[in-house]
Amino acid sequence: MTCTGSKTVSVKAGKFDCVGIKCDANFTLNEAIETANGTVFTATTGETSGENWVDLRGGFLVKSTYDVNKIIKMDLSETHKKTGFGVFYRETPINYQTVSELLERR
């Protein structure tokens, strides 16, 4: 995490004096899923990068934006043995952005 400085952030709930915190992470998730036809092994790898804007006085989150890029790689070799495949993989790239912001102040 890195502090990116301070600025006034405007959202639907109003204007707030905020401090920015940048967060970057790399991740790997390995799973083994038992099926009727055998075991499916998955490896999900990716990275997430985002920024959070936190109110300087109240310490609450005002706005957050994250980009996530990941690849799900499935080893389907065991489930496809009967079809004659020695090695069988499927890869699914997934890219998305998540934005959160304060809508109402009570």
Side-chain angles (χ1 to χ4, degrees), residues 3 9 19 41 58 66 77 82 86 101:
C3 180
V9 176
V19 63
F41 297 98
Y66 276 85
S77 300
K82 295 175 186 172
E101 74 173 50

Side-chain angles (χ1 to χ4, degrees), residues 14-80:
K15 291 183 179 181
F16 299 87
D17 292 324
C18 295
V19 63
I21 302 168
K22 183 170 177 33
C23 301
D24 298 307
N26 294 317
F27 60 88
T28 301
L29 172 66
N30 294 306
E31 293 180 280
I33 303 163
E34 296 295 329
T35 70
N37 296 327
T39 304
V40 175
F41 297 98
T42 65
T44 304
T45 59
E47 58 187 45
T48 179
S49 178
E51 197 166 45
N52 300 297
W53 290 97
V54 178
D55 183 76
L56 283 169
R57 283 178 263 153
F60 53 87
L61 183 63
V62 174
K63 187 171 184 177
S64 169
T65 305
Y66 276 85
D67 294 316
V68 179
N69 301 305
K70 64 183 178 179
I71 296 174
I72 300 172
K73 185 175 183 179
M74 300 180 88
D75 179 352
L76 302 166
S77 300
E78 190 173 323
T79 61
H80 285 77

Side-chain angles (χ1 to χ4, degrees), residues 69-106:
N69 301 305
K70 64 183 178 179
I71 296 174
I72 300 172
K73 185 175 183 179
M74 300 180 88
D75 179 352
L76 302 166
S77 300
E78 190 173 323
T79 61
H80 285 77
K81 281 181 188 175
K82 295 175 186 172
T83 60
F85 290 104
V87 178
F88 194 88
Y89 287 97
R90 179 175 72 199
E91 285 190 13
T92 308
I94 302 170
N95 301 311
Y96 61 92
Q97 183 178 66
T98 302
V99 179
S100 303
E101 74 173 50
L102 189 63
L103 298 177
E104 189 176 307
R105 187 175 185 181
R106 293 182 183 188

